[in-house]
Amino acid sequence: MKVLVTGATGTVGGEVVKALLQRGADVRALTRKQPKPGTFPGAVEIALGDLSDPVSVAEAIKGVDELFLLIGNVADEFTQALIAYGLAKKAGLKHVTYLSVFKADQFLDVPHFAAKYSVEEAIRVGGMPYTILRPGYFVQNERQLKPMLTGPGVYPVPAGNQGLAVVDVRDIAEAAAISLTEDGHKGKTYDLVSSEMLRGPDAAATWSKLLGKEIIYAGHGDFDGFEAQLRKTGSPSWLAYDLRVMFQGYVERGFSNTEDQTARFAALLGHQPRTYSSFAEELAKEWAAA
């Protein structure tokens, strides 16, 4: 079996490539440019192409059996996803696993949630065997907080007090690989959520303990300021707006998960999902050793 992985050079896609190889699948990675040596194991085929270019996507799909469809944070996410899905269906692929987002249907004011939900709906009626994965907030996002945590001692993510559903990308990758290499997952939608949710004050307390210094939670009362700061630090203007609406929605409407959702995810994996705390401990050790 050969699987085409889109977004293969990203945080999630790279882990999906590894998880598929561990399960004995052949992997073709779609990348916009030739990856640096060592990016992938030698067994991985490279297909150069761009998800906005149907000609290159059609070429990349030739000779593969299944598709792992991940679209990164881009303004034309919806178009890119439908191009890849439409061409996979035309080529007669046996299965697509699509990476959506937790509660996609409940945050339709958030551009990338609305795009993902629309793609979900297209896939559900498209006639091709599918699995939809709906992950929570990636714990790996915390890696980019090192300057704020180790410098001024601020936890800047406006996570709120209710609790955000989170997931470790290694568990996402494992779920994706299972859905693509085992039977029993066609037509299924899985919420990928850990037992431990992310709360702003709790995260600050966790990092205070791990780093041995006081970490202050920046709060969640100034979303205009949050959006402006994202632009100032390099986020494209459209993405700054997108993320602002997302976090404001989390704070105002909640993004928490249930024990049943976590239990179903654990049953899919065959083990309990990794937690925020366990990843934070890993990250703190990594930073200390650097």
Side-chain angles (χ1 to χ4, degrees):
M1 179 201 304
K2 185 173 288 186
V3 182
L4 177 67
V5 176
T6 72
T9 56
T11 304
V12 176
E15 291 292 339
V16 171
V17 168
K18 285 192 275 188
L20 284 168
L21 291 174
Q22 287 169 358
R23 289 177 163 267
D26 292 328
V27 177
R28 180 180 294 167
L30 179 65
T31 64
R32 285 193 301 274
K33 56 187 178 182
Q34 192 64 39
K36 294 175 184 174
T39 302
F40 299 114
V44 175
E45 276 184 42
I46 304 300
L48 295 179
D50 189 306
L51 287 164
S52 296
D53 173 26
V55 176
S56 66
V57 175
E59 190 62 30
I61 283 171
K62 285 181 182 175
V64 301
D65 304 295
E66 299 182 339
L67 172 66
F68 175 72
L69 182 56
L70 178 164
I71 311 292
N73 275 341
V74 291
D76 59 346
E77 174 178 354
F78 181 63
T79 301
Q80 289 191 9
L82 290 190
I83 286 171
Y85 175 75
L87 291 171
K89 182 181 172 184
K90 183 180 178 183
L93 268 60
K94 297 170 187 171
H95 193 93
V96 57
T97 291
Y98 174 59
L99 192 74
S100 182
V101 64
F102 185 53
K103 295 184 186 283
D105 53 329
Q106 295 177 40
F107 289 83
L108 297 178
D109 53 336
V110 181
H112 77 274
F113 276 59
K116 284 180 165 60
Y117 183 63
S118 297
V119 175
E120 283 189 15
E121 291 293 275
I123 288 172
R124 287 192 180 100
V125 301
M128 184 175 156
Y130 70 87
T131 305
I132 292 169
L133 304 180
R134 286 180 151 191
Y137 184 79
F138 300 169
V139 296
Q140 274 73 10
N141 290 342
E142 307 300 81
R143 188 179 295 279
Q144 64 200 21
L145 303 183
K146 182 179 180 181
M148 293 295 288
L149 293 171
T150 59
V154 174
Y155 183 78
V157 179
N161 299 323
Q162 295 187 57
L164 305 187
V166 300
V167 66
D168 190 300
V169 298
R170 292 167 292 188
D171 290 336
I172 297 174
E174 191 176 346
I178 289 168
S179 73
L180 289 160
T181 60
E182 295 183 5
D183 294 331
H185 305 290
K186 288 181 172 58
K188 300 285 181 66
T189 298
Y190 294 104
D191 295 313
L192 310 189
V193 288
S194 172
S195 59
E196 182 187 300
M197 285 176 270
L198 168 62
R199 295 173 180 84
D202 293 349
T206 295
W207 286 107
S208 295
K209 182 180 175 184
L210 290 172
L211 299 177
K213 60 181 283 190
E214 185 182 13
I215 305 295
I216 297 168
Y217 173 46
H220 49 266
D222 179 16
F223 282 102
D224 288 343
F226 176 69
E227 183 179 348
Q229 182 63 22
L230 287 172
R231 288 197 179 93
K232 186 178 175 183
T233 52
S235 291
S237 191
W238 65 267
L239 181 58
Y241 172 81
D242 190 312
L243 295 177
R244 177 256 174 85
V245 179
M246 179 184 81
F247 278 108
Q248 192 165 355
Y250 290 171
V251 169
E252 293 174 354
R253 305 200 294 278
F255 194 64
S256 56
N257 57 270
T258 65
E259 289 181 6
D260 286 348
Q261 287 167 327
T262 301
R264 187 166 181 252
F265 185 27
L268 174 65
L269 294 173
H271 61 79
Q272 286 299 315
R274 295 171 174 89
T275 63
Y276 180 91
S277 295
S278 62
F279 179 73
E281 286 176 19
E282 278 182 55
L283 205 49
K285 288 176 184 172
E286 183 184 307
W287 292 346

